[in-house]
Amino acid sequence: MQGKQSESRASPQVKSIFSPARGFFWAARTRILLWYLLTIGFIFVVSIPAFRQVLYERVNQRVNRELTEKMEIFTQLIDAETEASDREDEEVTAAVNLLKQADIRLTKPPATEDELEEFFDAFLGRQLSEDDTFLIAIVDGKFRKSSPRARPKVLAADSELIQYWGKLTQPEQGEKEFPTEPNIDSVLYTAKPVWIDGEIVGVFVVAHTTAGERAEVVEAVLAIVQVSAVVLILALLIAWVASRGVLAPLRLILQTTRKISESDLNQRIFVEGKGELAELATTFNEMMDRLQAAFTSQQEFINDAGHELRTPIAIVRGHLELMGDNPEEIRETLALVLDELDRMSRFVNDMILLAKAERPDFLRWETVELQSFTEELFAKAQALAQRNWQFDTTAQGQTIADRQRLTQAVMNLIQNAIQHTKENDTIGVGSAISKSRISFWVRDTGEGIALVDQKRIFERFARAANSRRRSEGAGLGLSIVQAIVEAHGGRVLLKSDIGAGARFTIVIPLMRSPQKKSHAERVG
């Protein structure tokens, strides 16, 4: 009772989640787009800072390259020992000409502090620096001049950075961070001390504030983010529309499944195109074919098994209820009851055998001598009934098989032949080897089997419609034959015409190795 209550409480929730096809596909499309959004978002979150950092590094490299070029010009000028006409560098030549116009001699480096100040004044007075680039001259540890004159606070004459540069004794290139200063960010610089008579008289510095370039980088990154956001929204809309077509086969599968659960097992999905979803639809249809066949077989089995068991039970019950006190009547009733119980026992044993045929240990392999085996089968057959028995031929050699199961299969064919023949009819038994196959056959001259029945007599509980007599079994004999033969990796062939008898042939592979026994064992 408790289980039923819990089931009833759970069912509304289950229906609300899984029943509506529209809700299911809405959720599926939403999850797809959500994962798509998370993936693209993660890429943006990782790539945007990386992109900004790359731009920062490229700006720093370009600025450092420009600073180095400026310092090289200064170095060549301050260390000049030849006339400008001997120089190949155009920028150096132009700088030298400007200094000539200021009456500064370049035949040798500045020899005094006054000459160095004159050199700095003339050099910086005629230099046009780029934006945010500052050429700074420091003489005797104090600020002398800069180009341009307007400088940020961190480059003021009394700033800590100027004092730091004034104390340098070796060339230096680096970067100083100023996170608290507005519109500065950091300063990239290269500095070179100037020596006169073994003493440092001054320092020349080329500095560059990075706030402008980095502001441009941030602006470019923001533009990229804005464009990417628009593209992402458009991509999501397109993906939302496209996902409907992509998920269409799944929608058909769900709709078909709902129809099957409500009506029958005949519904199938129309497969169109190729790809994984089309293959899924094809696989679903194949699965439904197997389920329908299994369901039909199960229903037929239940009906036939119930019929086969109901009849002997009714016979036993009826005779026991009518049984009197007469000893003779009691003996007859007991004999009849035991016969019906034996028939039910055979039926149950046959069903157990068919169930075992699916197990990997169904067969027990051994070496079988074909000639003696065939002769043994024929001897057993002769003892079953009065017929015109004929021993056709026998195979010579050996094979690896389950001797008992093969005997059971051939004897079932012989029993079937006996049931459909008369005393003066002929039944032949034989075996032969052809290439890599061995054949056992049972033929008769009985009533024969119609073509329409040949396709179904190997099914469980099946009997020929044109048979003149009622089979003693439950219609499982040929099913058992087929199960045994297929377990050996073979097949059963039938050739028959109405009034011309029938020929059943068992064909199995010859000399099968123990490692390659049967399909059932390979699966196991």
Side-chain angles (χ1 to χ4, degrees), residues 2-166:
Q2 184 178 358
K4 292 183 178 180
Q5 291 178 354
S6 61
E7 182 180 357
S8 63
R9 288 195 299 268
S11 58
Q13 183 180 2
V14 173
K15 289 182 179 179
S16 64
I17 295 177
F18 296 104
S19 293
R22 182 180 181 86
F24 172 80
F25 284 99
W26 182 273
R29 296 172 68 188
T30 303
R31 286 196 298 270
I32 292 174
L33 292 183
L34 179 60
W35 279 107
Y36 180 75
L37 178 62
L38 290 176
T39 302
I40 300 300
F42 175 76
I43 294 175
F44 281 167
V45 169
V46 174
S47 62
I48 294 301
F51 179 70
R52 183 187 63 180
Q53 189 62 33
V54 169
L55 291 181
Y56 279 176
E57 292 297 329
R58 291 189 177 182
V59 168
N60 290 346
Q61 293 175 2
R62 178 180 58 80
V63 172
N64 285 326
R65 185 169 58 252
E66 294 173 355
L67 297 182
T68 301
E69 291 175 356
K70 291 289 185 182
M71 184 59 70
E72 288 178 352
I73 294 174
F74 173 79
T75 300
Q76 294 182 39
L77 288 173
I78 200 68
D79 295 335
E81 295 181 355
T82 59
E83 294 294 334
S85 59
D86 297 332
R87 302 179 184 275
E88 297 179 356
D89 193 303
E90 295 181 358
E91 293 189 37
V92 175
T93 303
V96 170
N97 292 332
L98 289 174
L99 293 176
K100 267 190 168 185
Q101 295 174 7
D103 292 331
I104 296 179
R105 295 179 301 121
L106 295 175
T107 57
K108 61 180 180 178
T112 65
E113 184 176 320
D114 293 338
E115 291 182 0
L116 179 62
E117 290 180 352
E118 292 180 2
F119 178 84
F120 275 145
D121 291 342
F123 179 71
L124 297 181
R126 289 165 176 79
Q127 287 292 320
L128 297 176
S129 58
E130 299 179 0
D131 293 340
D132 299 327
T133 299
F134 302 90
L135 308 180
I136 300 173
I138 301 174
V139 179
D140 197 18
K142 297 180 181 179
F143 175 79
R144 171 68 184 179
K145 191 173 184 180
S146 70
S147 176
R149 294 183 178 181
R151 304 181 307 280
K153 183 178 179 180
V154 296
L155 298 179
D158 57 348
S159 66
E160 295 181 0
L161 192 54
I162 295 294
Q163 296 176 10
Y164 171 77
W165 287 333

Side-chain angles (χ1 to χ4, degrees), residues 376-388:
E376 179 182 335
L377 293 175
F378 184 72
K380 291 180 179 180
Q382 289 179 300
L384 294 178
Q386 185 65 36
R387 295 293 187 271
N388 182 18

